[in-house]
Amino acid sequence: MGGNGLRDLICPGAASMYTAKGRLDANAMLKQYSPLVRRLAHQMIAKLPANVELDDLIQVGMIGLSDALSRFDSAQGVQFETFATQRIRGAMLDELRGSDWMSRGDRRQQRSIESAVHKLEQRLGRAPSEGEIAKEMGLTLSDYQELLHKVRGTQLVYLEDMTGDDGDDDYLDRHVADEGSNPLAMLNDHRMRAALVEAIKNLPEREQYVMSMYYEHDMNLKEIAAVLKVTESRVCQLHSQSIARLRSRLREW
């Protein structure tokens, strides 16, 4: 294949991706396609637990991009971006599979909070206070708040929830794959988002602020604590409690 054809496969019209000697400039390629890594990471993390760090996914994705650069074969007749996307997403999925996100004990404790929230909401017809949740669980307020901190980083969707009933190892791949060409998946995603938005509107005001700053504005716990004028530990508690409320309301979705 001629030089122009190879360049079109790599990055159409991007002669700047080559050195003066006509060789592929790896550093320029990494810079050129780093936005692709970030885009894929943002798409994936939207469907993953809150304790999965975006920066971790991006770092792993950049490794996948570097691997794609070393393995790309223009003779296959595929655009580089298509090939790189597969390698980047694959690297991210491998990282997710190999990570231990949350212990079974922590998940049980998180679900006990969700159960208490659900029972109180059914009984009271409103969002229960921290004190009411603590009493329902047979805990003092301080013990309950300590528990909220212990299960910090809890998530709206557990990775174990992404396991197929028959041990389907490919379930995670499908769950975080690009579903733009699947109308049913898009419809389900829109319904889930609508249900989630409605559930967030019903959170206590301070918890709404926490969720908005954390998920919409990509602020970390320290930054949120500064805005709310509380400790970082308190923000962690509010986040964990918010997740428990949301999971309780979305459990029948």
Side-chain angles (χ1 to χ4, degrees), residues 23 27 36 49-50 91 105 114 165 191 235 249:
R23 295 178 181 176
N27 289 332
L36 171 65
E114 294 165 20
D165 294 335
R191 287 175 176 170
V235 174
R249 291 175 184 173

Side-chain angles (χ1 to χ4, degrees), residues 46-47 178-199 250 253:
K47 303 176 183 179
D178 181 5
E179 297 171 339
S181 61
N182 186 332
L184 180 57
M186 290 177 66
L187 178 61
N188 287 336
D189 187 54
H190 291 159
R191 287 175 176 170
M192 177 61 175
R193 287 177 184 275
L196 181 57
V197 168
E198 188 61 31
L250 297 175
W253 180 84

Side-chain angles (χ1 to χ4, degrees), residues 40 64 78 80-93:
L40 291 172
V78 63
F80 175 74
E81 182 168 336
T82 301
F83 178 77
T85 296
Q86 294 174 344
R87 303 298 300 187
I88 294 166
R89 184 177 286 122
M92 292 177 179
L93 288 172

